[in-house]
Amino acid sequence: AIAVTLALQAPRWHVRASDISQGALQVAARNAAANGAQVAFLEGNLLEPFAGGWLDILVSNPPYIPAADIDGLQREVRDHEPRTALDGGTDGLGPYRLMMEQLPLLQAPPRLIGFELGQGQAQDVAELLRAAGHWDEIIIVPDLAGIERHVLGVSTRIR
């Protein structure tokens, strides 16, 4: 949904999206086609499909639920979403750590990085971005309920 929306809102951008699930990619491709969005879909784990390439902007909504919390989720989520779409590891931050480790796969770090995350994770994810050292500004953005749900990293450096 994020990639389709970005492609529709910025039709001159070259939007690429990845997922570890072939089934999820098939659904996303159907949604893109139904909405007239131009998106290239790549199968793989987080940043791996983009190895050797450039990403000016990286937007991700990875799995962020701590593994021990999954059984306590609402039945509509727990019983109908694949576990791989929910399970963020022990503390829910595993995919964010992995993406920071995968950054060297890219030609250069993205100039803008934006993550959606779980409640109470914003400060930890912001610290991961700070520790990576690629972004001049780290911004935490609350949702409409005032919950810190997004972290952005912005680089003003010219590549």
Side-chain angles (χ1 to χ4, degrees), residues 25-155:
L25 290 171
Q26 290 169 351
V27 170
R30 285 195 302 271
N31 288 340
N35 287 285
Q38 297 297 312
V39 179
F41 294 99
L42 308 167
E43 185 176 357
N45 191 19
L46 302 170
L47 302 184
E48 286 176 355
F50 309 109
W54 292 91
L55 296 177
D56 292 320
I57 300 171
L58 170 64
V59 181
S60 182
N61 179 15
Y64 53 72
I65 307 295
D69 294 351
I70 292 175
D71 288 338
L73 293 174
Q74 295 172 325
R75 186 178 22 229
E76 302 81 38
V77 175
R78 180 190 66 230
D79 295 344
H80 298 285
E81 289 289 332
R83 189 169 183 101
T84 56
L86 302 171
D87 191 338
T90 304
D91 61 359
L93 301 177
Y96 305 100
R97 286 189 192 97
L98 182 54
M99 279 188 273
M100 293 302 100
E101 292 170 14
Q102 291 176 334
L103 284 173
L105 296 173
L106 305 175
Q107 293 270 338
R111 293 194 53 202
L112 173 65
I113 190 166
F115 289 134
E116 182 173 340
L117 36 103
Q119 188 169 353
Q121 296 175 331
Q123 296 301 326
D124 291 332
V125 172
E127 186 51 41
L128 289 172
L129 293 181
R130 279 188 203 94
H134 302 296
W135 299 280
D136 305 315
E137 189 173 359
I138 307 298
I139 304 164
I140 296 175
V141 181
D143 64 14
L144 295 175
I147 299 167
E148 295 178 335
R149 295 281 292 175
H150 303 90
V151 174
L152 305 173
V154 180
S155 174

